[in-house]
Amino acid sequence: MNMNVSYPSSFTLVFSITLVLALAIRFLIPKKSKGQLPPGPGGWPIIGNLFQMIMNRPAHQWIHRVMEAMETEIACFRFAGVHVIIVTSSEIAREVLREKDKALADRAEAYSIKLVSHGYNGVSFSSYGERWKLAKKVMVTKLLSSATLNKTIGDRTVEADNIVTYVYNICQSVSVTKLVNVRDVALTYSHAVMMRMLFGQRHFDKPDKDGGLGPKEKEHMDAIFRALDCLFGFTIADYLPFLRGWNVEGEEKDVREAVDIINRCNDPIIRERMHLWREKGGKATEEDWLDILITQKDDQGMYLFTFEEIRAQCKDVNVATIDNTMNTVEWTIGEMLNHPEILEKATKELNTVVGKERLIQESDIPQLNYIKACCRESFRLHPPNAFLPPHGAREDTTLAGYFVPKGSQILVSRPGLGRNPKTWEKPDEFKPERHFVDRSRDPVDVTLMEPDMGFVVFGTGRRGCAGPKLGTTMIVMLLARLLQGFEWTLPPGASQVELIAANTNLFMAKPLIASAKPRLATGLYPKIQV
């Protein structure tokens, strides 16, 4: 959804009506603070900064401009009765995600979040409590355990093979250079891996003959991204609950349509599999994540999860496994095309570690330090979204010495951390070499984790990412396979890649188109396995 639009006069009318209603709604009047709030821009009575947010789309850019002008790394914006606290420093981010982790372990309530999570079920968006703890435990110890990831390595390898052959098919022959949509390639791989891990199948319907996504998979993937855009938007109804369901800004219609599409794709598989396991005796073994979710039982032998909880957890997987991989690989290749010396170093590393006689495997990843450094640098400069999912204050607390009222939403800024000049020298430059030296110790092996919160790869703490190992594997495998299998150059007539982020999210504004030419022997490109 494009958030950078001009609103018609009818919108002004709706807002005026909203303002009148807001004045009459007692709960919108903020309670007297028990301490000094973080600094923030001046606002209107009752509605605070809500009107400023609406008139300065996209809101995340306006928020960062305000904080830069105020020269602060923590700021409080009041949207009606909700205090939204933004953090742009690694020190305060560590306080949010570690020291005050339990006090800030809730999630925000919003129309889009409620729809996507089927009433705040699942792991990503539900409130902190016993059911959430149970779902998170199953996610970490069952779905994403080392045993499960080792068991499913074959599925991921098949898709790593498939994506190389998909690009090879586009190239058609070793002597012809063809234009490749890098975003399409990354999404094809990400979606296929997610489908195999979750449902044990690559396609909902018929496979595409060239190795790409079929029509239903493309529809499914597009719906996931539409839902993601809504989850990270700033809308009036997020802060004025009595407007939820009115579709004031058009976003609610978008998220309803997106969720309906995802349900049409996911639900038949979930229902059929639940019937198989719970009424027909199941299969010999649990073969994928859906099997694991359906078969979990408590101490009394009762099934742990309802249909609604399972479909919510499937959507968690849908939205968590696609955007990071696509975004990181696309930006990294784009940066490499603008910095040929970096592309050359990455290719030399692959030649040294793996060679050209076989395809890279997951077991090679620990040795690919330069490629991992390139991925880290892309995460630092080009995160997929402006903020981590909001953390909700379960109780009154403090951050950086400021008072944080119960019910506040705390947003950690991803570009705020990654481009903070207090943390990073020349923060706007793409320099993978900066990640070879730990900032406080000696040279170390490169990983995608960032314990000091100098930037954010995977969320940490109680509400953090449950699968950083899988996320790392998918990102590094895709990038390494594409660099090993093909010579990448700028399209004919282009002098550089236009490295501009979109407004709604921080994906590359235009899909990256690049020239690719196979660089391995023909026999190393396997056949598509569906």
Side-chain angles (χ1 to χ4, degrees), residues 111-133:
Y111 183 89
S112 57
I113 292 176
K114 185 176 181 179
L115 273 183
V116 172
S117 64
H118 294 282
Y120 307 106
N121 285 301
V123 174
S124 296
F125 304 108
S126 61
S127 297
Y128 185 77
E130 293 306 313
R131 290 300 292 177
W132 174 83
K133 292 178 183 178

Side-chain angles (χ1 to χ4, degrees), residues 43 68 77 194 198-199 239 244 277 294-295 328 336 352 354 369 380 382-383 396 430 451 476 493 498 503:
E68 184 176 353
F77 296 78
M194 179 270 294
L198 180 58
F199 294 139
Y239 309 104
R244 291 174 190 170
W277 278 105
I294 291 171
T295 56
T328 305
M336 286 178 168
T352 301
V354 183
N369 282 320
R380 185 187 70 80
H382 308 295
D396 290 347
F430 189 83
V476 178
E498 196 175 32
N503 281 332

Side-chain angles (χ1 to χ4, degrees), residues 6 107 143 181 195 198 206 209 223 226 320 355-356 410 424 436 454:
S6 58
R107 285 295 195 221
L143 274 63
N181 185 322
M195 287 287 291
L198 180 58
K206 296 180 181 179
K209 63 181 180 180
R226 286 174 63 189
K356 299 176 69 173
I410 296 83
W424 303 101
F436 276 98

Side-chain angles (χ1 to χ4, degrees), residues 14-15 17-19 21-22 27 50 54 111 235-249 252:
V14 170
F15 183 79
I17 295 172
T18 300
L19 178 58
L21 289 172
F27 72 85
L50 194 60
I54 295 167
Y111 183 89
T235 66
I236 299 174
D238 288 346
Y239 309 104
L240 301 177
F242 58 86
L243 288 181
R244 291 174 190 170
W246 287 22
N247 195 38
V248 173
E249 296 181 81
E252 292 178 357

Side-chain angles (χ1 to χ4, degrees), residues 94-199:
R94 291 194 296 270
E95 191 177 355
V96 172
L97 301 173
R98 292 181 187 168
E99 298 169 34
K100 305 293 174 61
D101 184 24
K102 187 174 182 179
L104 304 175
D106 246 335
R107 285 295 195 221
E109 291 188 3
Y111 183 89
S112 57
I113 292 176
K114 185 176 181 179
L115 273 183
V116 172
S117 64
H118 294 282
Y120 307 106
N121 285 301
V123 174
S124 296
F125 304 108
S126 61
S127 297
Y128 185 77
E130 293 306 313
R131 290 300 292 177
W132 174 83
K133 292 178 183 178
L134 177 62
K136 180 69 177 281
K137 181 180 179 180
V138 170
M139 186 75 71
V140 172
T141 64
K142 300 293 183 180
L143 274 63
L144 292 160
S145 67
S146 296
T148 300
L149 293 180
N150 290 337
K151 179 182 176 182
T152 54
I153 189 171
D155 290 334
R156 296 191 298 278
T157 301
V158 164
E159 291 310 327
D161 290 347
N162 281 344
I163 203 63
V164 169
T165 304
Y166 176 50
V167 178
Y168 180 79
N169 289 341
I170 296 173
C171 294
Q172 293 182 339
S173 75
V174 296
S175 61
V176 179
T177 300
K178 293 293 183 181
L179 295 181
V180 175
N181 185 322
V182 176
R183 182 176 301 180
D184 170 72
V185 169
L187 289 176
T188 298
Y189 168 81
S190 302
H191 192 274
V193 172
M194 179 270 294
M195 287 287 291
R196 284 195 187 270
M197 298 286 288
L198 180 58
F199 294 139

